[in-house]
Amino acid sequence: MAQQSKYFSREEMQRLAQRALGFSTADEARVNIQSGVRGNTRFAVNQISTGGDVYDATLTFTSAFGKKVASATTNRFDDESLRAVVQTSERLARLVPEDPEYLGELGPQQYPNATPFFQSTANLTPEARAAAVNAITRPAATRNLVATGFLDMVVGSQAVATKKGLFAYQAGTETNLTTTVRTPDGTGSGWAGVGQNDWSKVDPAQLADRAIRKAELSRNAKAVEPGKWTVILEPTAVANLVQLMTFAMDARSADEGRSFFSKQGGGNKIGEKFLDPRVSIYSDPSDPQIFSSAFNGQGLPNRRMQWVESGVLRNLQYSRFWAQKQGREPTGFADGFYMSGGNATIDQMIASTERGLLVTRLWYIRPVDPRTILYTGLTRDGTFLVENGRITSAVKNLRWNESPIFMLNNIEAMSAPVRVSASESGEAGSAVTVPAIKARDFTFTSLSDAV
């Protein structure tokens, strides 16, 4: 791969896949190819600390003899190396035990028209990233604050091909920018971030303004009592929680009695109402609000799926094996989702709250009970007390124990959905679009002195 191109084109991947498949003697074979560049710029104490671009491409070859299946990977694409990786996968396949759930490889498929590629992101040079960082650090330094953060971008392509004639290709771009601004004495901290496929939709100065405002407001935080609180969760905090529910929507786990979506007495809860009727959630690789991969690693299409409709569970994620076993169609799983919202603004939610907490985001999230999707974690980088319709002070961070199921049944108001940065790591990832939510009876269990 030439560095100037950053990633393989469709034609390059098709030729590469055919060359590799041409060396196969197995009953079944599949090629997975990834190519692209991942660039990042990290900043701390109001200056860039590290940065770099990593160009890479890999080819993974999977061979199967009957139900004996194995894979091998290379990043060298001359004929000798391709022949070697194919032969390695075939030797391994003959050695491994049979996989009783292997269904063979797929033939040609129809894919959604998903084009999550934007030239604005592909053109995001180290110099442009530095300018974005400067748009955050300059105003922070001017106000005697300390900005840190991470700008991550991915430009790449992927392909799947099989001996049965399947070929799928997609190029895409992703970027994620987050910043934490703190007061010099460490008593105040504010955060802002966003993920986008299209860099032109990212406004670093606007993120700086939000994080600076929260850092200055969060000084002199006071303690409040843990317990059940009315909360106003900003969209990132909502995404932190709701994505935990989408991760749990596996049909096999439900049918085998291992998840919240298991039905008492057997089976799963598809068709049952389990959330507030204002909640609907779908994934769709071709939706510009939540662009994602059009296929999975087996070449199975990730088509539009309505997971929740008006509070009713409409679908769970079915793998090929489990779908065949249960007599259903496999669903694929686009790694992003859109959640419906309402027409309230965060200011209106605050104005309508007699006593509650405004939460910027959640952190250090860990599982407690998969049967209720109960998780624990901490608030972080901007938690505020709301009294009589206005913010009256910053509060110390709190540990929470909560399930997105409970939270989505206690909704009082929702804003319009917005795209967020949903990951804790700050790396580019799944496209998630959710509203802010005002909910009652959110459970906080203890205080934290961490700022």
Side-chain angles (χ1 to χ4, degrees), residues 389-410:
R390 64 185 185 88
I391 294 173
T392 54
S393 73
V395 298
K396 288 188 173 183
N397 285 309
L398 295 113
R399 173 164 292 281
W400 51 269
N401 273 26
E402 194 55 87
S403 165
I405 303 297
F406 303 154
M407 185 268 286
L408 293 176
N409 274 290
N410 290 332

Side-chain angles (χ1 to χ4, degrees), residues 245 273-277 279 281 308 310-312 404-405 408-409:
M245 183 184 76
K273 179 180 177 302
F274 73 112
L275 297 178
D276 184 289
V279 176
I281 298 173
V308 181
S310 302
V312 177
I405 303 297
L408 293 176
N409 274 290

